Amino acid sequence: MSSDLELLASGNEADVYALDECRVLRRHRWMTDVSGEAELMAYVGSLGYPVPEVYAARGGDLEMERLHGPTMAVAMAEGRVPIGESATVLADLLRRLHDLPPLPGGTGRILHLDLHPENVMLTGRGPVVIDWVNARDGHPDLDTGLSALILAMVATDGEHVWSAPAGELLDAFLAVAPGDPFRLLDDAVRVRMRQLSLDDDGSLAPAVARMLGES
């Protein structure tokens, strides 16, 4: 079926297709179960947090609301949104998420663990957070530290088209970020290594140094 649909985006693990003007299909490339992700999105959405509405979850397929608007990353790169404003929005999205009641039976606050400008869509109803694959519960400082680490990785990647604005965004974000983005930085590095399937933290060292003001 997906070969007959319009491809909207491709990521490391899944592709997103348009079903119509109101719905999209995110399809994983290998066998997986998205039901937990769908349930978490429905839970935070029911509490007023800005996520796409989920219509159906079947195996590796997630059918959800189609969002119209640029990502925060694109809007910043094109100069449509000031970097300082983006930092405030990013920090507020993290704060609002961490302020939600824990999941039933959860042992900590809800964490996104991949909240950065490419996973924030700027829509007519405001910023909406996408890509909840990595979400789980835990300590909020881990989430904040990981967001800062991801920004620092882009800022220290000289070949990335958004390196310069990412560095400015990182500095602005650290000034307004909720909690302590440095307290669980070692844990954030380990999480990012698992997300990227890295064997050692050498490639993340420049980003850590940038966060700590050592470069």
Side-chain angles (χ1 to χ4, degrees):
M1 177 182 68
S2 57
S3 60
D4 299 325
L5 300 174
E6 177 190 359
L7 178 65
L8 295 178
S10 290
N12 294 327
E13 301 177 354
D15 302 303
V16 179
Y17 300 92
L19 294 176
D20 53 39
E21 283 300 304
C22 299
R23 300 174 302 144
V24 297
L25 172 68
R26 195 195 69 196
R27 169 159 289 172
H28 275 261
R29 299 194 191 97
W30 51 81
M31 292 297 294
T32 189
D33 182 3
V34 299
S35 60
E37 180 186 359
E39 290 170 4
L40 186 147
M41 291 175 66
Y43 176 73
V44 300
S46 71
L47 297 172
Y49 194 79
V51 295
E53 183 175 356
V54 175
Y55 302 125
R58 298 176 294 271
D61 288 354
L62 191 62
E63 183 181 325
M64 54 190 167
E65 174 189 2
R66 182 174 181 176
L67 302 174
H68 296 275
T71 65
M72 177 186 285
V74 168
M76 281 193 306
E78 294 179 350
R80 287 190 272 172
V81 179
I83 287 176
E85 179 181 325
S86 297
T88 299
V89 169
L90 197 63
D92 183 61
L93 288 169
L94 283 164
R95 186 177 295 106
R96 289 171 60 189
L97 178 62
H98 302 157
D99 284 345
L100 295 180
L103 288 164
T107 58
R109 295 294 176 174
I110 300 169
L111 313 182
H112 185 276
L113 296 182
D114 202 16
L115 188 47
H116 55 79
E118 291 187 334
N119 280 337
V120 178
M121 299 283 293
L122 303 182
T123 74
R125 62 181 172 98
V128 178
V129 179
I130 62 173
D131 196 354
W132 292 79
V133 172
N134 297 309
R136 61 174 173 83
D137 53 15
H139 196 287
D141 284 348
L142 175 62
D143 211 9
T144 303
L146 190 57
S147 289
L149 178 63
I150 294 170
L151 294 178
M153 290 176 66
V154 178
T156 55
D157 180 356
E159 297 181 1
H160 200 293
V161 66
W162 295 325
S163 291
E168 294 180 47
L169 179 61
L170 172 64
D171 294 335
F173 173 73
L174 289 174
V176 296
D180 184 350
F182 300 98
R183 191 174 73 84
L184 297 177
L185 182 55
D186 288 345
D187 292 332
V189 168
R190 285 190 286 269
V191 169
R192 194 58 177 165
M193 286 174 60
R194 288 196 297 271
Q195 291 176 347
L196 300 176
S197 301
L198 299 175
D199 294 326
D200 62 72
D201 61 1
S203 62
L204 300 183
V208 172
R210 176 65 175 79
M211 277 187 65
L212 296 174
E214 299 172 354
S215 64

